Amino acid sequence: MAVAFRSSSTNGGGFGTTLTVTVPAGTLDDDLMVLNFHLEVLGKTLGGLSAWTLVNQIQESTHAQVHEQFVYVKKAASEPASYTITWDATSQWRSSAIASYSGVDTTIPQDVAGSEATGNSATVTATGITTVTADAMLVMCADSIDGGARASAWTSPLVEEVDVNETYLADGIQAGAGASGNKSATLSASAGWCAQLLALRPAAAGVTVGEMMAAQQQGSRWPFPDRRAVVAY
């Protein structure tokens, strides 16, 4: 089953002591949600996300203003309408996005460990990773410290899904397993930035009824180690 972007939701772009982000429209159980959260202060621990798994928390401090990026993932299951993210009740500039994906392996959703990078320039670059599964979905989460910066010219195969309030997300299928190479986007203004690159593993394909009948006729009960379910087509 191919991994596919389903939808996204965003919020923020101002100061506050919390931030509520809605679950993307149309999200179904077993979808994988990716949360990209931007906070313009360092050293905070987020609350309200106990059901989520932290991928990486990185800091960028070379710019005159500092900021921190958090990326979380979660398998959707009877989701609430939204999540309210907290820190220490101090008012901070914050922004966030959630993207939902269908067709992700529910047992091992991340194909390999993600990468992290920071910088201060007009090009935001995520360090490449080496996938082990064909057709993994690359997801680049990035943010910047300049509220006027917009992202463009994403490295193939990435397609932009989110560009709002200093928060960016792009994705694309890498057809073959192997090195992805670095992925980047051009910002409209030089800025301090953080970037993380993930790879979402596709769910194993189903076995058709016809394939199963043919296998049984040949005396084999389950000759499909890479596929886990029977589908009626």
Side-chain angles (χ1 to χ4, degrees):
M1 179 183 296
V3 180
F5 170 78
R6 191 181 294 282
S7 63
S8 65
S9 63
T10 62
N11 195 17
F15 285 87
T17 57
T18 64
L19 184 64
T20 298
V21 188
T22 59
V23 171
T27 297
L28 302 178
D29 285 357
D30 291 336
D31 283 355
L32 189 82
M33 300 185 293
V34 178
L35 168 67
N36 185 17
F37 185 78
H38 168 102
L39 190 65
E40 294 193 358
V41 66
L42 301 183
K44 301 302 180 183
T45 299
L46 300 185
L49 297 173
S50 59
W52 294 69
T53 299
L54 177 65
V55 177
N56 274 318
Q57 173 182 350
I58 58 177
Q59 302 176 347
E60 199 290 307
S61 58
T62 62
H63 193 274
Q65 293 175 273
V66 297
H67 70 291
E68 197 159 24
Q69 182 198 33
F70 304 77
V71 173
Y72 286 79
V73 295
K74 182 184 185 299
K75 184 180 75 170
S78 301
E79 290 303 308
S82 62
Y83 286 90
T84 297
I85 303 169
T86 63
W87 40 98
D88 62 1
T90 59
S91 183
Q92 306 291 346
W93 203 101
R94 72 283 192 269
S95 179
S96 190
I98 299 177
S100 290
Y101 294 87
S102 63
V104 179
D105 191 301
T106 57
T107 303
I108 308 175
Q110 291 190 75
D111 193 50
V112 291
S115 69
E116 56 184 72
T118 62
N120 187 356
S121 65
T123 301
V124 51
T125 302
T127 304
I129 55 180
T130 301
T131 63
V132 296
T133 306
D135 297 323
M137 173 69 83
L138 300 179
V139 180
M140 180 172 166
C141 298
D143 67 2
S144 74
I145 200 69
D146 190 328
R150 305 302 299 270
S152 63
W154 294 85
T155 307
S156 178
L158 301 184
V159 175
E160 184 176 270
E161 307 291 2
V162 173
D163 183 349
V164 62
N165 300 325
E166 304 180 351
T167 302
Y168 320 101
L169 185 146
D171 55 37
I173 297 292
Q174 178 170 304
S180 69
N182 294 347
K183 301 301 178 186
S184 65
T186 301
L187 299 178
S188 58
S190 183
W193 51 261
C194 297
Q196 300 188 38
L197 187 63
L198 314 180
L200 307 183
R201 178 175 294 185
V207 178
T208 68
V209 172
E211 287 177 321
M212 177 58 72
M213 293 178 65
Q216 289 176 338
Q217 290 174 354
Q218 295 171 7
S220 180
R221 297 185 62 186
W222 194 260
F224 309 102
D226 61 334
R227 290 185 276 180
R228 304 175 184 170
V230 176
V231 293
Y233 57 83

